[in-house]
């Protein structure tokens, strides 16, 4: 159609369709005057349109009340259109029912149509008070959890246009009615991976919503948990973890079924290959101690963090097995289009860093061993060093060999402490271990080498910074405690500047979290506590092509 030619609109057809829309929204029988007043259409016109729709079978009139309701033709039309959504609803239903059984709150699945959301599936909880959502019901984007998820994946210009075209009507005292506030909220949703409805659509009702992506990474639908706002807020972290896990399962189902029936709403806000992330991986959550200084030093960089929680701990395993894990995870990160990989685990770095650089020469790989050695060499004065690490790291002899290669006058005291490491890996005091218990173990490990006069204690495991306060109390100023994780951020900054890979476009950046196990709630909770930001992990689907190839 030429740009200067306006579309032809048949007024009577438009009015008839608006009448049908009223029945969809109200889901009850309505009188002619009620419809006339609601749509501000002349009563006589309304009456004639209603009769026409009745004759066509789209409406029917009750002989006693004289009110109108949807007819058999509307039902047939609905059933015909149902096939469009039925595939995804069929995939979602078992997952939604299982989610309700775990959280006992209403669970909803929504699709976006223009500037509104449509609820296409719902599973209700056992609570007497139900939420406002209903099948086929519509709701605005700006004041609902699922709606804000869809808005978050539109770019700023599209959001601005949406606000200009649709007045942000104040539904409750908490409804967002400002473009600036809305855009800040959407930026937070992209960063944290979920949206929260804070009684913005209906007083007393809240919800948490997350995007569901298909096999191409496009946002097709959104999944939400809704209920009394007080319950949602009180259990927010738990609900979010369960919701993210369910959304991931549904995403996997969409991938397996190659669902492409609905038009994607992804339009540039998704991470693209022009802004590839930095990949960080660890056997679990210890790598957060590397991620934290990265967020501080390089806040403009998108980051993808992988925790291999399904195969932790690495420490007691053979080096050949860990090497295969390293290659497996590096392959996953490269498939995610990362521009640089940080092996944020000493054991993994010892076992597989060199092999990973050989197998994947196309991407810079930064390990922990080099950062640790550089940090110590700059700070030791009397050249007596204690290295605190996993049994696997210590037994490999890598630190002893590389320290002596750098300076043959150094004396290296290796210290392996699996029990203290286990406590650090699980979160220390946050996991229920007493500080006294950890101090006892740290004292048994470190006092013998401190008495030898070491002036530096290298934390050669990224889990140890999580219990830095415990180690610091044991060392008591008798030696420097060296945590080289900030050194990694410095190295990465130098590399991406040198290779002109730095991201400096000023646009919001995305943090993504993946794990290989099913401990999403534990991972998210510890991440929030340690990093001070909301963490929303997804379960990764690893190819495993490098596994069981020990000795490679």
């Amino acid at each position: 159609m030429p740009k200067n030619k306006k579309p032809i609109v048949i007024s009577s057809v438009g009015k008839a369709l608006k009448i049908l829309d009223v029945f969809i929204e109200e889901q009850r029988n309505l009188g002619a005057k009620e419809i006339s007043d609601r749509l501000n259409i002349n009563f006589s016109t309304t009456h004639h349109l209603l009769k026409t729709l009745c004759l066509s079978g789209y409406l029917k009139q009750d002989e006693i009340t004289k009110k109108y309701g949807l007819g058999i033709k509307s039902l047939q039309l609905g059933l015909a259109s149902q096939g469009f959504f039925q595939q995804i609803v069929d995939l979602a239903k078992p997952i939604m029912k299982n989610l309700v059984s775990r959280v006992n709150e209403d669970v909803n699945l929504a699709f976006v149509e223009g500037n509104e959301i449509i609820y296409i599936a719902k599973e209700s909880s056992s609570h007497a008070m139900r939420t406002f959502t209903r099948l086929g019901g519509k709701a605005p984007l700006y004041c609902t959890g699922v709606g804000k998820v869809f808005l978050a994946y539109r770019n700023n210009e599209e959001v601005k246009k949406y606000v200009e075209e649709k007045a942000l009507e104040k539904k409750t005292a908490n409804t967002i009615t400002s473009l600036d506030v809305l855009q800040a909220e959407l930026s937070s949703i992209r960063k944290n991976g979920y949206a929260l409805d804070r009684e913005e659509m209906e007083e007393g009702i809240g919800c948490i919503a997350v995007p569901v992506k298909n096999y191409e990474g496009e946002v097709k639908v959104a999944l939400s948990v809704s209920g009394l706002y007080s319950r949602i807020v009180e259990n927010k972290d738990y609900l979010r973890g369960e919701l993210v896990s369910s959304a991931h399962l549904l995403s996997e189902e969409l991938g397996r079924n190659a669902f492409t029936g609905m038009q994607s709403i992804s339009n540039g806000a998704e991470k693209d290959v022009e802004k590839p992330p930095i990949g960080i991986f660890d056997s679990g959550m210890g790598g957060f101690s590397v991620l934290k200084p990265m967020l501080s030093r390089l806040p403009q960089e998108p980051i993808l963090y992988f925790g291999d929680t399904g195969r932790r701990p690495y420490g007691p395993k053979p080096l050949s097995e860990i090497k295969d894990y390293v290659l497996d995870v590096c392959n996953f990160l490269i498939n995610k289009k990362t521009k640089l990989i940080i092996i944020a685990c000493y054991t993994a770095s010892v076992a597989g860093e060199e092999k990973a650089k050989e197998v994947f020469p196309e991407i810079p790989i930064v390990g922990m061993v080099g950062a640790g050695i550089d940090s110590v060499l700059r700070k030791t004065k009397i050249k007596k060093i204690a290295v605190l690490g996993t049994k696997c790291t210590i037994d490999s002899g890598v630190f002893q060999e590389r320290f002596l290669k750098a300076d043959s006058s150094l004396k290296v005291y290796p210290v392996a402490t699996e029990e203290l490491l286990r406590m650090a890996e699980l979160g220390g005091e946050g996991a229920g271990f007493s500080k006294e218990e950890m101090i006892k173990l740290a004292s048994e490990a470190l006092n013998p080498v401190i008495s030898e006069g070491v002036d530096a204690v290298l934390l050669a495991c990224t889990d140890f910074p999580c219990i830095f306060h415990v180690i610091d109390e044991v060392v008591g100023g008798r030696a420097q405690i060296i945590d080289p994780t900030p050194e990694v951020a410095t190295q990465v900054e130098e590399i991406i500047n040198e290779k002109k890979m730095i991201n400096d476009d000023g646009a919001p950046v995305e943090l993504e979290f993946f794990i290989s196990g099913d401990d999403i709630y534990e991972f998210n909770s510890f991440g929030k506590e340690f990093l001070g930001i909301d963490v929303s992990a997804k379960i990764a689907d690893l190819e495993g092509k490098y596994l069981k190839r020990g000795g490679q």
Side-chain angles (χ1 to χ4, degrees), residues 126-150:
S126 62
H127 294 297
M129 183 178 180
R130 298 289 170 79
T131 56
F132 62 84
T133 57
R134 53 181 171 75
L135 279 182
K138 295 182 179 181
L141 298 178
Y142 69 97
C143 59
T144 56
V146 286
K148 288 190 290 184
V149 164
F150 289 120

Side-chain angles (χ1 to χ4, degrees), residues 22-243:
V22 171
F23 285 99
I24 294 172
E25 292 167 9
E26 293 294 329
Q27 293 198 347
R28 62 184 177 88
N29 287 355
L30 301 165
K33 187 175 186 309
E34 193 174 0
I35 296 169
S36 174
D37 292 343
R38 169 79 175 268
L39 297 176
N40 197 25
I41 298 175
N42 176 274
F43 179 80
S44 177
T45 302
T46 302
H47 177 74
H48 288 303
L49 288 171
L50 289 169
K51 292 297 181 185
T52 302
L53 288 167
C54 284
L55 287 171
S56 303
Y58 287 97
L59 292 181
K60 62 183 179 181
Q61 187 176 28
D62 189 287
E63 293 182 0
I64 299 173
T65 66
K66 302 302 181 184
K67 289 187 175 184
Y68 297 87
L70 292 174
I72 189 68
K73 283 285 187 179
S74 293
L75 175 62
Q76 291 172 336
L77 189 63
L79 290 173
S81 67
Q82 190 178 24
F84 184 69
F85 298 106
Q86 197 59 51
Q87 184 180 5
I88 191 169
V89 171
D90 287 346
L91 293 172
K93 276 288 187 180
I95 295 170
M96 293 172 68
K97 286 179 179 178
N98 184 266
L99 180 56
V100 170
S101 72
R102 300 198 308 271
V103 302
N104 196 25
E105 298 289 359
D106 290 356
V107 176
N108 311 288
L109 189 70
F111 172 65
V112 68
E113 180 69 34
N115 287 332
E116 293 180 305
I117 54 167
I118 302 172
Y119 293 101
I120 58 174
K122 177 172 182 172
E123 290 295 327
S124 298
S125 70
S126 62
H127 294 297
M129 183 178 180
R130 298 289 170 79
T131 56
F132 62 84
T133 57
R134 53 181 171 75
L135 279 182
K138 295 182 179 181
L141 298 178
Y142 69 97
C143 59
T144 56
V146 286
K148 288 190 290 184
V149 164
F150 289 120
L151 272 181
Y153 287 89
R154 295 183 180 182
N155 61 43
N156 286 341
E157 284 305 311
E158 289 173 316
V159 173
K160 184 178 179 181
K161 183 180 178 183
Y162 164 78
V163 172
E164 289 172 351
E165 292 177 352
K166 181 177 180 64
L168 303 184
E169 179 188 347
K170 198 169 185 65
K171 304 284 187 181
T172 72
N174 293 335
T175 304
I176 295 174
T177 57
S178 157
L179 173 61
D180 290 342
V181 175
L182 180 62
Q183 287 185 324
E185 172 83 350
L186 300 180
S187 176
S188 175
I189 292 167
R190 286 191 293 271
K191 178 179 178 181
N192 296 324
Y194 74 96
L196 184 63
D197 171 2
R198 307 171 184 83
E199 300 181 277
E200 296 163 50
M201 176 69 179
E202 183 177 345
E203 289 184 2
I205 300 298
C207 92
I208 299 177
V210 297
V212 177
K213 299 179 181 181
N214 73 348
Y215 72 108
E216 293 178 329
E218 301 167 332
V219 179
K220 292 295 190 181
V221 289
L223 192 66
S224 72
V225 168
S226 56
L228 282 178
Y229 182 62
S230 58
R231 288 198 308 264
I232 297 295
V233 171
E234 182 181 357
N235 301 304
K236 184 183 75 170
D237 291 339
Y238 171 71
L239 293 174
R240 186 179 74 244
E242 295 296 324
L243 185 60

